Amino acid sequence: MISLENVSKSYKTSTRPALDKVNVEVDKGDFVFIIGPSGSGKSTFMRLLLKEDNPTSGDIHVAGFHVNKLSGRKVPKLRQRIGCVFQDFRLLPKKTVEQNVAFALEVIGKPRSFIEKTVPEVLDLVGLAGKADRLPTELSGGEQQRVAIARAFVNRPLLLLADEPTGNLDPDTSGDIMLLLERINRVGTTVLMATHDNHIVDAMRRRVVELDQGLVVRDESRGVYGVGR
Amino acid sequence: MRASFIFGEVASGLRRNVTMTIAMILTVAISLGLFGGGLLVVQMANKTQSIFLDRVEVQIYLTNDVSDADPECEQDLCRNIRTDLENTPGVVSVQYLDKADALADAKERTFKDQPEYSDLISENALPASMKVRMSDAERYFVIFDLFNQRPGVASILNQKELVDRLVSVFNGLRNAAFALALVQAFAALLLIANMVQIAAFTRRTEVSIMRLVGATRWYTQLPFLLEAVAAALVGTALAIVGLFAARPLVIDNVLGDLYDVNVFAKVTNSDILLIAPVLAVVGVGFAAVTGYITLRLYVRE
């Protein structure tokens, strides 16, 4: 599903590479935590998978796309196979829950009948069936993140990228979000989650890839966040 | 691509940024109104120039001997000048004025408003002459070269030299109007670019989400482009309506007296109709091209 071979990324303004000869393989259906302190390269890792940035060297394959060789015209095709969730939710404040989710399908040209059928299903999946007509400001943080997950998942992506999805949430709500991500993972979607939250990582006992100063320092199949962090 | 979604986005975008939309419409309307005004001045200058040139005549004064000896222009010398003039290419008509006619003509033209002077002019003051009307006043020199040295011809008066000075004034006016129109067009261009940029900026969240979920460049950019075009279209319509309204209210008021004596060409509704498509193409084209380039630089793939 994801393969990084000797991927390095340097920014002009920095003396140290953000990623340094990273090799990571992720199979279809995996659930992987990317952990590491701020500045370790987690965000760069995510950005490269989405082709928001190009690696300085190395090869990246995602969902059958040779990402670093992909032409600009085909980038939308790649991104349609990837769902994204962020710490700050990134919902459109003037659209309702339903419209926010539908937006992701509308802008890739899905027919109205498909949207009308799919959106309620996904809202039901994330537990927001009764709140379709609310505005994001009328929702709690956890509910807003559910909307964001619904939007990321509504096009049935092969891969879900979650960048600190629980960073703004209390532990209970975070737990609910993790259950939701787990459920999405169980239906076959590969989930890649960058996080600082040691409780979550320790509780889930999933694969952990740890980055430090751009290097992969640990890759365990049933890892914990680590001692003393 | 779903048209209903795109147009829905355009409509909601215009509604949501209603102050911005109005500002853009007004800017486009004012810029294009001035641009159109400039084009009208160009048209008026051209037409006024041709009105003057149409009335320009070459006047060939005959010598006093001929004037006195042959008042009816029946002898060979005078008659030949007349036939040769009539046979010269570019000559539309030749009118012979004897001394009495010349006096009457002068009284009619020059001393119309000063009858007290006209009584003072003696019968013999003016020689007989031929008034030559030409299809193209620029061809004066042909007449001059052919007839200046001819016996019986005293002098040739060319009104065109006067008109030439007038024409250069008009040319200057036309150039100034055109320069102003171009500057206005440039200002409109920059304003549209700015408006599109601001509109795109106010919706950067939407754009970033669209990019993230894999919307194509056209999907992300078309709504902004169409918003700019729609606003420009309304602005163009306002500009054209404004020109139609300004014609009777402003232009006719200022130039009314000059119209009456047929000095200036009238600006007519059909003149405005003629430039309306130009304004529409310029307005909408500018908005589309400027919007496209702005977005191309602004929104990444």
Side-chain angles (χ1 to χ4, degrees), chain B residues 18-34 188 191 195 231-232 234-236 238-239:
Chain B
V18 70
T19 48
M20 180 93 66
T21 308
I22 291 170
M24 181 158 163
I25 288 172
L26 290 181
T27 314
V28 169
I30 291 167
S31 303
L32 281 180
L34 285 165
L191 275 160
M195 295 286 181
V234 177
T236 309
L238 272 185

Side-chain angles (χ1 to χ4, degrees), chain B residues 144-165:
Chain B
F144 188 88
D145 290 346
L146 283 174
F147 293 93
N148 196 36
Q149 299 299 322
R150 240 175 122 122
V153 172
S155 66
I156 299 181
L157 175 72
N158 180 22
Q159 291 175 307
K160 180 156 185 307
E161 280 165 19
L162 294 169
V163 172
D164 277 347
R165 256 182 283 166

